[in-house]
Every structure is written in structure tokens, then in C-alpha cells.
């Protein structure tokens, strides 16, 4: 009897259960095997099942910019759950691309990253990419604008939109892609600050300040309805001169702002976090919390930044530059505990002092297959062509499978 002739085929439910445990990149490859697999792995039931399992295992997404070489690297690391902290965690390297990115930093929403301007060949264009699969799409250029834009995600219609001042661009879909201007009635002019925006439950927030009698305001943009609202944020005015010191976070579904204060006390470096939470949008009520972090020798001797707040309420801090050893810190306000977790796997190239990169970390990253389908990203970062600044020749970088 030939081996395997009488083996029963695996049940479909079991096969789908196996696929939910795979990375989205692997699922995308299996979709190309046949029409049957393409249909099965694009079904609403499978997408829902995949998202549920992905949400139960959120990751830390690291975007590393090595600006001296015009390079970006993307890594994923496990994120501690139920406040059970490991002493060290590994990194998974995913994609890399080279492109002359302007001074406007990236914006993150629902697993995708938006770069307001990337120099490709001789043109500057906005670019949106999936840092895990390496797929990207070059967007239409808005005329007469070099301001930074923000990426938002409509959780109902599963649509991404880019907001650049009061101009809006819907990403993906079919038909001609054009910027459209939303008429906004307001009595004062607003100046956008250098802090990144954040999208929470289909609403995009970013910090701005008035030209007349300078004061902070928060611009609230509903991604689905495309309606604007301005929220008074004068409680943050102590940071008017240095708005980049403020980090926007998702604090249990509400908008939060965090600033870090570092001081020397009794020969020790102490770290204080101030967090303002928008408790009520209608009444524009802010509540302030102040936390003095427990002493930590590593945190007390390095440059760090706020990465965000996890769904469990932990405030996450990360070291500003790649190095060895590299640490991420989890502060639990309820228990007043601070845990340091070593992250390893950036590679010797990024960990050297001369070639280190700046780290931008995003908490609670999950993979949503329906988002990938809706956006229809078709190109690969390995196809990006840039113009060499030295010899002015066109260079194509095959980076999708390149190892660090």
C-alpha cells in the first residue's frame, strides 16, 4: 500500500485555524496558490478570525531611521501581555527601503505608515507602506504644499485618509485620486506643530497653536464624516516653545498628552511623567496626572522617548537610538512599577555608535487582513528607484529580502 493513500484530508476549520497563526505576509503568499485559496483566505469569516488572534498577540513595531544613509528599517517584537514581563525579547526583521525622506516624519495608523514626502527619482511624493509586507503606494502630490500630513483610518468603512491641513486624500479604491479641500469655519488661524498626530477609534487628532495670542488647541478630525472640531488645550501652554516635547497617546480610548521631565535629585536622575487626558470631548475637560518613576539605572542614563500607552494602561518608553544593549521600559501607573525589557536583534550594523539609527516605536500593532485588501497596495519597496546624490544616476534597491 502506498504511503499516505488512505490519509483523510484535514478539516477546513483546522486548516483555517492553522492559517490564523501565520504572519500576514505568509497568508498573502498562500492567496496566490489558486482561486480557491484566494477566495477562502479573503472571506470575511477568516479575516475576522485572523484579526481576533492577531489582536490577542499585539506587537511593538519599530521603525528605525538611519538618516545619514536615507534608510528605514522595520522590525516587530512581542509585547508583554497581562503585565508579565520578560527580561529580554527578540526582534523580527521585516522590510527596509532607501529613499530621501524629507524632514516631515512618518505618521502611523492601523498598521500602515505614511511618509509625507519621499524623493523618488527627481520627484517628491507622499508614500504609504505596509512595514510588514513591504507593499507600498505612491500617492498624488498636493500642489503648493510642503506641510506634513497625517494618516487616519475609518474603522467603519475600512478606509485610510490623509489629512494635510484642510485638504483630504482618500487612499486606495478605484478611480482618479485627487486632493479635495474641506471648508472649515473658524475665527482664528492655526499653526500646526511638529508633534505627530494620532488616530483613535476613527478620529484623527493633532496639536496646533493659534497665531493670535498663542495658545494650544487640538484639531479633531472625524475620518468618516470629514468633520473638524477644535478643542481648547491651554493647559499645555507651558510647552508652547517646545511642542515636540509632547507626545500624543491613546489612553484607554481617550486622547492623552505626555511630557517627560528629567531632573537630578540627591545625586540621582529622576524621571517625571506628566499626562493630560481629554476626559470629555463635549465639555473639553482635561485631567492631569503626574507620576515620578521608580529609580532605574538604565533609564536614568540614556536618551528616551514616549512610544505610547498599551491597551492594558502601561506607559511605554523606548531608547531614542539603536544600540547594544537596547531597552524598552514599561511603567504601570496603578502599581507604580517600572520594568525594563532588553530588545535584541537590530544587528551589528545598526548597533554601532557610528551607524546607529533613530527609533520610532508604535505599541499594540496588529495585522488586519481586511485593511490590506481595502488598500490594494501593489508595489514592493524593493522596486523603489532613487537618484544617487553623488553621481545623479538612477539606483534600484532590492531590499525586501535583504538581511541587516
Amino acid at each position: 500500500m502506498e504511503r499516505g493513500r488512505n490519509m483523510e484530508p484535514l478539516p477546513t476549520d483546522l486548516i483555517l485555524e492553522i492559517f490564523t497563526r501565520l504572519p500576514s505576509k505568509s497568508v498573502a503568499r498562500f492567496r496566490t496558490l489558486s482561486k480557491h485559496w484566494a477566495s477562502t483566505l479573503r472571506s470575511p469569516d477568516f479575516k475576522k478570525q485572523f484579526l481576533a488572534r492577531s489582536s490577542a498577540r499585539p506587537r511593538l513595531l519599530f521603525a528605525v531611521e538611519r538618516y545619514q544613509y536615507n534608510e528605514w528599517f522595520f522590525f516587530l517584537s512581542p509585547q508583554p501581555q497581562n503585565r508579565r514581563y520578560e527580561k529580554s525579547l527578540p526582534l523580527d526583521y521585516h522590510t527596509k527601503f532607501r529613499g530621501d525622506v524629507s524632514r516631515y516624519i512618518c505618521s502611523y495608523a492601523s498598521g500602515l505608515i505614511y511618509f509625507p514626502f519621499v524623493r523618488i527619482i527627481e520627484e517628491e511624493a507622499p508614500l504609504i507602506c505596509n512595514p510588514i509586507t513591504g507593499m507600498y503606494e505612491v500617492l498624488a502630490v498636493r500642489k503648493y504644499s510642503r506641510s506634513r500630513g497625517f494618516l487616519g483610518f475609518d474603522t467603519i468603512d475600512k478606509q485610510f485618509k490623509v489629512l494635510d491641513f484642510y485638504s483630504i486624500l482618500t487612499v486606495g479604491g478605484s478611480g482618479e485620486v485627487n486632493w479635495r479641500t474641506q471648508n472649515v469655519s473658524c475665527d482664528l488661524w492655526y499653526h500646526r506643530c511638529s508633534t505627530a498626530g494620532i488616530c483613535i477609534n476613527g478620529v484623527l487628532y493633532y496639536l496646533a497653536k493659534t497665531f493670535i495670542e498663542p495658545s494650544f488647541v487640538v484639531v479633531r478630525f472625524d475620518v468618516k464624516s470629514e468633520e473638524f472640531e477644535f478643542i481648547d488645550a491651554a493647559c499645555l501652554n507651558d510647552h508652547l516653545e517646545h511642542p515636540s516635547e509632547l507626545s500624543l497617546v491613546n489612553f484607554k480610548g481617550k486622547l492623552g498628552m505626555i511630557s517627560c521631565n528629567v531632573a537630578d535629585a540627591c545625586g540621582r536622575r529622576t524621571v517625571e511623567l506628566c499626562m493630560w487626558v481629554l476626559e470629555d470631548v463635549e465639555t473639553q475637560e482635561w485631567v492631569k496626572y503626574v507620576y515620578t518613576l521608580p529609580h532605574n539605572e538604565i533609564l536614568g542614563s540614556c536618551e528616551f522617548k514616549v512610544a505610547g500607552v498599551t491597551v492594558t494602561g502601561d506607559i511605554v518608553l523606548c531608547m531614542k537610538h539603536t544600540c547594544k544593549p537596547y531597552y524598552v521600559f514599561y511603567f504601570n501607573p496603578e502599581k507604580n512599577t517600572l520594568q525594563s525589557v532588553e530588545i535584541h536583534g537590530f544587528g551589528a550594523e545598526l548597533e554601532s555608535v557610528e551607524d546607529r539609527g533613530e527609533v520610532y516605536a508604535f505599541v499594540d500593532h496588529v495585522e488586519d487582513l481586511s485593511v490590506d485588501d481595502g488598500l490594494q497596495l501593489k508595489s514592493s519597496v524593493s522596486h523603489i528607484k532613487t537618484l544617487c546624490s553623488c553621481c545623479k544616476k538612477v539606483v534600484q534597491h532590492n531590499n525586501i529580502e535583504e538581511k541587516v
Side-chain angles (χ1 to χ4, degrees), residues 219-235:
V219 181
R220 183 180 186 274
F221 172 70
D222 188 296
V223 182
K224 179 176 175 57
S225 66
E226 300 186 359
E227 294 180 351
F228 287 88
E229 184 177 354
F230 299 92
I231 299 171
D232 179 73
C235 58

Side-chain angles (χ1 to χ4, degrees), residues 41-59:
L41 299 180
R42 283 191 170 92
S43 67
D45 288 343
F46 175 73
K47 291 177 184 178
K48 184 177 180 180
Q49 189 177 354
F50 186 92
L51 178 60
R53 184 168 292 277
S54 179
S55 299
R57 56 184 187 201
R59 299 287 192 265

Side-chain angles (χ1 to χ4, degrees), residues 18-59:
I18 295 172
F19 275 115
T20 62
R21 299 172 183 268
L22 296 177
S24 59
K25 185 186 296 187
S26 299
V27 174
R29 289 172 178 171
F30 277 105
R31 284 174 172 175
T32 63
L33 291 179
S34 66
K35 291 183 179 179
H36 168 72
W37 284 115
S39 175
T40 301
L41 299 180
R42 283 191 170 92
S43 67
D45 288 343
F46 175 73
K47 291 177 184 178
K48 184 177 180 180
Q49 189 177 354
F50 186 92
L51 178 60
R53 184 168 292 277
S54 179
S55 299
R57 56 184 187 201
R59 299 287 192 265

Side-chain angles (χ1 to χ4, degrees), residues 75-126:
F75 302 84
L76 278 181
S77 175
Q79 186 171 292
Q81 293 298 294
N82 301 319
R83 300 195 173 104
R84 293 178 297 181
Y85 300 96
E86 303 286 344
K87 292 185 178 180
S88 65
L89 290 171
L91 278 174
D92 290 327
Y93 166 70
H94 284 274
T95 56
K96 165 187 173 182
F97 80 83
R98 291 187 181 96
D100 186 7
V101 179
S102 72
R103 64 184 181 277
Y104 305 105
I105 199 55
C106 59
S107 176
Y108 173 91
S110 193
L112 299 184
I113 290 183
Y114 168 73
F115 295 95
F117 285 95
V118 177
R119 178 170 289 279
I120 301 176
I121 310 299
E122 295 181 344
E123 296 182 356
E124 286 185 335

Side-chain angles (χ1 to χ4, degrees), residues 102-231:
S102 72
R103 64 184 181 277
Y104 305 105
I105 199 55
C106 59
S107 176
Y108 173 91
S110 193
L112 299 184
I113 290 183
Y114 168 73
F115 295 95
F117 285 95
V118 177
R119 178 170 289 279
I120 301 176
I121 310 299
E122 295 181 344
E123 296 182 356
E124 286 185 335
L127 181 146
I128 186 171
C129 75
N130 185 322
I132 306 306
T133 63
M135 307 308 288
Y136 81 98
E137 183 173 315
V138 177
L139 307 180
V141 179
R142 180 188 166 201
K143 293 182 178 180
Y144 315 117
S145 172
R146 281 188 58 84
S147 65
R148 62 174 304 161
F150 300 122
L151 181 65
F153 179 64
D154 173 9
T155 56
I156 298 175
D157 293 337
K158 300 290 185 180
Q159 275 193 326
F160 286 89
K161 294 181 182 179
V162 175
L163 176 66
D164 185 356
F165 237 4
Y166 302 128
S167 294
I168 304 162
L169 178 69
T170 299
V171 182
S174 58
E176 187 176 356
V177 179
N178 286 316
W179 290 91
R180 57 191 184 282
T181 302
Q182 183 78 309
N183 293 323
V184 179
S185 58
C186 57
D187 298 329
L188 300 174
W189 289 96
Y190 294 93
H191 173 70
R192 183 171 298 165
C193 298
S194 57
T195 54
I198 188 169
C199 191
I200 304 173
N201 298 328
V203 177
L204 179 63
Y205 300 90
Y206 67 87
L207 196 61
K209 59 184 178 182
T210 59
F211 282 120
I212 305 172
E213 297 182 4
S215 179
F216 274 132
V217 292
V218 169
V219 181
R220 183 180 186 274
F221 172 70
D222 188 296
V223 182
K224 179 176 175 57
S225 66
E226 300 186 359
E227 294 180 351
F228 287 88
E229 184 177 354
F230 299 92
I231 299 171

Side-chain angles (χ1 to χ4, degrees), residues 262 269 271 295-302 304:
V262 179
R269 188 178 186 229
V271 177
H295 177 68
N296 182 292
E297 291 186 3
I298 302 171
L299 184 63
S301 61
C302 71
F304 63 90

Side-chain angles (χ1 to χ4, degrees), residues 339-383:
Q339 301 288 338
S340 56
V341 179
E342 183 179 355
I343 305 294
H344 54 88
F346 283 119
E349 184 180 6
L350 285 174
E351 291 168 347
S352 66
V353 176
E354 299 81 7
D355 296 325
R356 68 181 185 174
E358 184 169 355
V359 178
Y360 303 88
F362 306 94
V363 302
D364 292 332
H365 174 80
V366 298
E367 298 177 73
D368 186 346
L369 295 179
S370 62
V371 169
D372 289 340
D373 284 348
L375 195 61
Q376 297 177 350
L377 300 181
K378 296 181 179 179
S379 301
S380 166
V381 291
S382 61
H383 299 152

